Amino acid sequence: MTFLSILRATAACSTLAIITPAAADDSADATIIVTGRAAADEAEVEASKTAGGSDIVSHQDYADKTVVSLRDTLAFSPGVYTQPRFGQEIRISIRGSGLSRGFHMRGLTLLQDGIPINLADDNGDFQELEPIFFDHLEVYRGANALRFGSGTLGGAVNGVTPTGDNAAGLYLRGDVGSFDFYRGLASFGVGDEGANAWAAISADSHKGDRQHARRDSIRFNGNVGLRISDIISTRFYGSVTTLDQELPGAMTRVTALTTPRSGNFIGDQARDINSIRFQNRTRFDWGDSYLDVGAFLNAKELYHPIFQVVDQTSADRGVFARYEREGDVWSITLGGESRWGTIDAKRFVNLNGKRGALTFDADQTARTTNIYGEIRVSPIEQLTVIAGGIYADGYRQQLQIVPAAVTGKASFDAVSPKIGVLWEPTAEIQFFANHSKSAEFPTFVELAQIAAFVPVRAQTAWTTEFGTRGTLGWVSWDFALYRANLKKEMLQFTVGPDIPATTFNADKTRHQGVEAAFSVTPTNWLRLRQIWQYSDFRFVGDAQYGNRRLPVVPVHVLRSELRLGGDELHISPNVEWVPQGAWADYRNTTRNAGYTLLGLSAGARIKNGVDIFVDARNLAGVKAIGDVSAAILATPTSAIYYPVERRAIYGGIRARF
């Protein structure tokens, strides 16, 4: 174990040692990262104005979970497909976004406090988001994410950190568990609406449930807010991440099903990230309208030994503005955002994880700009008609220096209109429908596959959506039915050495499905919640693949959780059921088997302000394939499979002072 690993593990254990004997005050506040739901409730009001799929995930929804990855926070968010691969590595997709991308992320805008994590070319590493810090997450599916300037097929996920006025005092949390997992978290908030500050630091170490899958990280997040006048307020944000992650790689089918603990040590593959982000958001509030303006700077280092050592240093800058006006009959949103960045991209021969001879050196420049607007008109009290759109402009340039001087350039632009209707027959029930266009531009991963840019075109889609959400007595629901007709979908294949590119544009494809969440709470000690995802993704009259299904995402996914008890003591058994696995290849010759995973979480309040919890996963020790990297034709020797999480038990304690 390295010195840094020891330091992180010690920090986690120290937090546990501090918390255990401590006595909290006599308040009855829940011992989670915030003491109230004001910010989350406000976000739910905003989400309810959307004529389409949206969801707010409060920290309370996963407080009794050990957050190994982003999946643990979004497991019960309807329509969000999050499949663990190993450690913090997951596949995240909404409505089939970035469907065949087997690494990093595409087709989805990830933000923290409204600022994109994505680089200027829209590529991104979701590992930079640490959900354990968040007050809540805002999930806007598809074109419903216009308020974040997102025009992608998948939409946007925004993680919102607390502020000093709604998370006052000291909060401590410690987690330990299987595979040498340790995490310590400490946060502190102070101030009021006039001036406040909040800061948090976490450290974790995890050996992982596979060989060569260790992860160590140290993270900091903080913000400072100041009300300058009755009209003007401003807030500064800062975050720092140091993440070291070994990569165990994909497996053959036989290995994944028989020895899922196995990992790949060849080349000491890893993904190490050092990043720092600063941003400012200033608001001018005139009562029935407000204007947000701001700027941000993201600096990042990526050291990524894989087939070669990928060594990148990037700097992204951006500005944004959004105006909102709320009226009795009509409301309006106008906004814009521009991101521009540079990447010093190098590759070296991989000498067991170390740099060898330089094989590639290039300067990459990217810009992505969005201008958006939306008007909402209510001709009668219960009905709102919505119209809007996004204009997106993108530019990518690569000046290759090694192995030869080659320049690649590409420009894109697209207009994505939307129209929708929202009907509220009662204050608790909504019905909605919308029709919208989305556009996604290629990133450097798609374009810079060879010395000169590959002519990958922008992916577009027209999506139609119908749905309803609401609460009726002790029953609540969120249901959306969608169909997206795509042109030029960017599909990524696992290919042989004689094929110069790995990403191509399909002609026509179709993504359609159901996003459903259902919750029943007949008493304050009993709650059943579940989500169901139906995903029918396929080619449409393709010259090579006909109407075959697209691989990677299974047709049905069902998750259910039953919570018995209250805050003083509760137990929550859960189940994940995939009746039939996904196709592994585009020719539909190999299909993964279905599986059922059983889990259990529980929590108890040992005194006011101090809670303990347990989180057990895959209790039956099921061996199954959870994720796959798409192949043209899967064979017995294809190393494209990832097993489901192995049996694990985590536990922890949290306290607020």
Side-chain angles (χ1 to χ4, degrees), residues 511-582:
H511 296 192
Q512 59 186 2
V514 175
E515 305 162 334
F518 179 74
S519 178
V520 179
T521 311
T523 71
N524 57 9
W525 56 266
L526 176 63
R527 182 191 68 185
L528 170 67
R529 63 172 178 168
Q530 57 186 11
I531 61 109
W532 169 50
Q533 294 180 38
Y534 169 72
S535 304
D536 179 13
F537 306 153
R538 61 177 68 237
F539 293 100
V540 178
D542 188 81
Q544 184 174 3
Y545 299 108
N547 295 320
R548 289 185 176 90
R549 288 188 183 273
L550 295 171
V552 175
V553 176
V555 176
H556 298 280
V557 176
L558 179 71
R559 295 192 189 100
S560 300
E561 179 185 74
L562 181 65
R563 188 178 193 269
L564 300 167
D567 290 339
E568 300 298 324
L569 178 66
H570 59 268
I571 185 170
S572 303
N574 60 76
V575 61
E576 176 179 324
W577 181 40
V578 177
Q580 189 176 48

Side-chain angles (χ1 to χ4, degrees), residues 359-377:
T359 62
F360 175 83
D361 187 2
D363 294 327
Q364 298 174 339
T365 303
R367 184 193 70 247
T368 299
T369 301
N370 299 308
I371 300 173
Y372 57 93
E374 180 180 90
I375 185 168
R376 302 173 292 277
V377 180

Side-chain angles (χ1 to χ4, degrees), residues 95-118:
R95 299 181 177 177
S97 61
L99 184 65
S100 60
R101 176 70 80 85
F103 49 87
H104 299 288
M105 181 192 68
R106 181 173 56 75
L108 186 64
T109 302
L110 285 188
L111 311 99
Q112 182 168 315
D113 296 310
I115 303 301
I117 298 296
N118 306 56

